[in-house]
Amino acid sequence: MGFSEKMAESWDGNLDSGSRSDESYRDSLHVEPIYEAFLCPLTKEVMQNPVTIENGQTFEREAIEKWFRECRDSGKRPTCPLTQKELKSTDLNPSIALRNTIEEWTKRNDAVQLDKSCRILSPGSPEVDVLQALNHIAHICQKSRSNKHVVRNAELIPMIAEMLKHGSTKVRIKALETLRIVAEGDDDNKDVIAAGDTIRTIVKFLSHEHSQEREEAVSLLYELSKSELLCEKIGGVGGAILILVGMASSKSENISTVEKADKTLQNLEKCEKNVRQMAENGRLQPLLTLLLEGSADTQLSMASYLGELVLSNDVKVFVAQTAGSALVDVMKSGSKQAREATLKALNQISSYEASAKILIQAGILPPLVKDLFTVGINQLPMRLKEVSATVLANIVSSGADFESIPLDQDHRTLVSEDIVHNLLHLISNTGPAIECKLLQILVGLTSSSTTFMNIVAAIKSSGATISLIQFVEAPQRDVRMASIKLLHNISPDMGQELADAFRGTAGQLSSLINVIAENNGISEEQADAVGLLANLPERDSDLTRRLLDEGAFKIVVSKVASIRQGITRGGGRFVTPFLEGLVKVLSRLTYILEGEPEIIALAREYNLAALFTDLLQMNGLDNVQTVSAQALQNLSKQSRHLTRIPVVPEPGFCCTIFPCLGNPPVITGLCRVHHGFCSVKDSFCLLEGRAVEKLVACLDHANVKVIEAALSALCTLLDDGVDIEQGVSVLDDADGIKPILEILRENCTETLKQQAVWAVERILRKEEIAYEISGDQNVGTALVDAFRHGDYRTRQIAERALKHVDKLPNFSGVFPKMG
């Protein structure tokens, strides 16, 4: 195939079958004819390095050398390919004159065709002509580097770039390919291509649907990115790095495109701005490499930028694994400027539990705590101490075993008493921002069962309770939230101390109640605030009266009603703890009813007996059911005092003369157990409120605390001062006797066993029931076990119960009666 034929074939590769012939195209370009002497007899192509053999025949050097090798490999003597005659020598003589002639001919033809290409490359030209012109330019540039200079000097590069906007996909693809060929190994040409907005246009192709366009575009960008001067310009195109990062990690692109995208990004890493963009878009390794291996200034810059990034959790773990130790080393010995940048980076990384634990292993705690507590010339500015406190708060929330992590040579830990004292001291002597973080540190430490007791002990020994309570009034919401959370955490073990502190200070209780009263859904802060109040000693009547004076109970009743009626919306996971806290706070009123008309009047106003009875049915909320049953027990104990006993008139004069007229009048509507006029609202009677059946249902609960509370409430129907026999009948009518016997028979808690023995002894006082139960061997065995192994009081009660079922003789008491 001849030179022009080969050229035509390459042009026709992208043309339709109806395109013009090679000859007509050559004629239209006025190409000089190809002389026979220019063609190699072996390759049929124009020779570039013609040589002559001993018989005067001329060939392309590479072709004749290959012929001679094949002769030797087949065991023959070298021959002339044309005459087939043997040759004495395989010497090759360069045909310099012919080569020069061919070069001159080629240059003339290339010049003519480039000139034609200049005229063809315009949006209005036919697609076939544009494709032929682009093919020719690419072919010319591939022949020699000097031709690339010619193309540049002919100002063809901007014209090729313009074809990127052509309406034909084929033209756009060929233009991208041609620009890549023009750019290969020529920085000057790259600069020309990068002029104007060509790079932006190329980047747009990365998002095109046509895969070949994307592939050619990324190949061209890769070639351009080899020029360090263009790296910043490529990275400066909006979205370029993001798209490349996506392509480099794509599972759907072909391998070649993925590799080119990755290599392009590697080249773009030469520019620091690009490294930042890559990190921003999830390709963090280049930034970390500079952070670990760059100059001091570069490391500082990368650490600073790392602190500004928003990282996904997976990336935080990767950064902690890769650079955690290096960042901790800077914390230990770096300059203040370096430590500032590092702290901000650590703030980002430490905010995820898994990455925080990696930083702990890297040794972050000792320098972090040291930075917080150091005072004097070497201390960090307060703004950096705030960041240190933030990082430490993040670390603490990871839930690591801080008791086993030494901070210094004295083996002190984060939960050592003097360390906690230092934290408490720092809280009282800093601004709101750092106060919040330090409080969050203590929140984290009191949220763990392993460190809770250490922190509580240190708070008690420091006398900081009142100081901590004062933050409840902080105007800054985050400080107030952290304070309430901390107080809620420690309240189960410091209830009395906190109650005393709230009584002795002004304003804090009001602030807590105001938080609970907020009406923007249910927040974590509200759940913590009411949970804190719920954990304070319920029998502290002074505190209850303070809450009453602050209007707390009116708010609580309203909140409970709103939740139960579905009026309060939002809150998610905080609804349950909020409701539990509200119910427990409300139950405080039932612990101070004795001899308190004002409290009794309030319980009637809020109809507490009915409310707590309804709350018994909130299945799945064990704490609500437990507290409600306890409250009903307290209310029921008052029923015998509050029932309205009917007044029977004295017999008149006629009754003395006519005794038949003296029979007492029959009064209907009296309570069977209390022998008076009862109601659920006024006397809190369990019978009138239909609470008995609901309490009996709770005896079958899976939670032993619910069972204990329900049984205690039911036992008020069998208490001294009421009609016990009728109380037993009420339990029998409600099918409550069988579950009580079941509790006695089961191997339950000591508290439940004592309750059950007491209740069964009262139940057995009714002869017909005692007779029926006497045949139940399991009940007898359970009572004997209580008689043998119970405490003094339980053994006494069990003895009486055994007498009721004739298991013990009645003629002698085994134990003396207690006074």
Side-chain angles (χ1 to χ4, degrees), residues 96 103 165 168 219 283 293 509 616 641 700 773:
I96 296 172
E103 287 178 356
K165 302 172 184 177
S168 165
S219 296
R283 189 180 173 97
E293 301 173 6
L509 210 55
L616 280 177
H641 303 300
D700 193 34
I773 292 175

Side-chain angles (χ1 to χ4, degrees), residues 185-201:
D186 194 312
D187 286 346
D188 291 332
N189 281 4
K190 290 175 185 175
D191 291 339
V192 177
I193 292 172
D197 67 345
T198 303
I199 289 181
R200 184 180 300 277
T201 303

Side-chain angles (χ1 to χ4, degrees), residues 704-723:
V704 70
K705 294 293 183 185
V706 177
I707 300 173
E708 288 177 1
L711 183 54
S712 295
L714 289 170
C715 284
T716 60
L717 300 176
L718 309 175
D719 218 339
D720 294 335
V722 303
D723 190 327

Side-chain angles (χ1 to χ4, degrees), residues 409-421:
Q409 294 177 342
D410 297 330
H411 298 289
R412 292 186 301 173
T413 68
L414 198 56
V415 296
S416 295
E417 187 177 49
D418 56 341
I419 297 294
V420 179
H421 284 179

Side-chain angles (χ1 to χ4, degrees), residues 373-385:
F373 294 156
T374 298
V375 294
I377 192 169
N378 293 320
Q379 73 173 338
L380 287 178
M382 197 56 68
R383 60 185 174 80
L384 293 187
K385 284 199 175 188

Side-chain angles (χ1 to χ4, degrees), residues 510-545:
S510 296
S511 295
L512 275 180
I513 293 166
N514 288 338
V515 169
I516 295 168
E518 290 177 0
N519 286 318
N520 300 318
I522 299 173
S523 66
E524 183 177 10
E525 183 184 17
Q526 286 181 296
D528 285 326
V530 79
L532 165 58
L533 290 180
N535 287 337
L536 301 182
E538 63 267 12
R539 297 182 186 277
D540 189 326
S541 58
D542 289 342
L543 183 61
T544 301
R545 291 187 179 282

Side-chain angles (χ1 to χ4, degrees), residues 352-416:
Y352 179 53
E353 180 180 320
S355 52
K357 287 181 177 177
I358 295 170
L359 292 175
I360 292 172
Q361 293 172 354
I364 193 175
L365 275 178
L368 204 54
V369 174
K370 182 181 177 182
D371 278 348
L372 266 178
F373 294 156
T374 298
V375 294
I377 192 169
N378 293 320
Q379 73 173 338
L380 287 178
M382 197 56 68
R383 60 185 174 80
L384 293 187
K385 284 199 175 188
E386 180 189 340
V387 183
S388 294
T390 305
V391 176
L392 186 55
N394 291 341
I395 295 293
V396 165
S397 65
S398 70
D401 182 12
F402 295 104
E403 283 185 302
S404 62
I405 305 171
L407 299 177
D408 51 29
Q409 294 177 342
D410 297 330
H411 298 289
R412 292 186 301 173
T413 68
L414 198 56
V415 296
S416 295

